[in-house]
Amino acid sequence: MKPDSSLIEELTRLVDKFYEHGYIEVARALEQARIIALMKERERLIPPATD
């Protein structure tokens, strides 16, 4: 399955832009959203372990 990283790329772009313009709290919140999106993508890519 090919990961859809466009959301992660957009979040990364927005985080950089908000930091650049001094909106630190907004950038931090978006970083948390990016981390969650990365974790969800990883869950899709790594199959669950089976016994």
Side-chain angles (χ1 to χ4, degrees):
M1 178 181 352
K2 182 180 176 189
D4 179 22
S5 61
S6 60
L7 172 63
I8 295 167
E9 290 171 1
E10 183 65 13
L11 285 170
T12 302
R13 185 187 71 77
L14 289 171
V15 166
D16 291 343
K17 196 135 202 99
F18 279 114
Y19 271 129
E20 180 182 321
H21 292 285
Y23 295 100
I24 306 302
E25 292 301 317
V26 175
R28 287 181 181 159
L30 287 173
E31 280 181 333
Q32 291 300 312
R34 182 178 170 273
I35 289 169
I36 292 168
L38 284 168
M39 289 170 44
K40 292 291 186 183
E41 184 173 295
R42 188 176 83 185
E43 285 176 8
R44 281 190 305 227
L45 294 174
I46 300 173
T50 58
D51 289 340

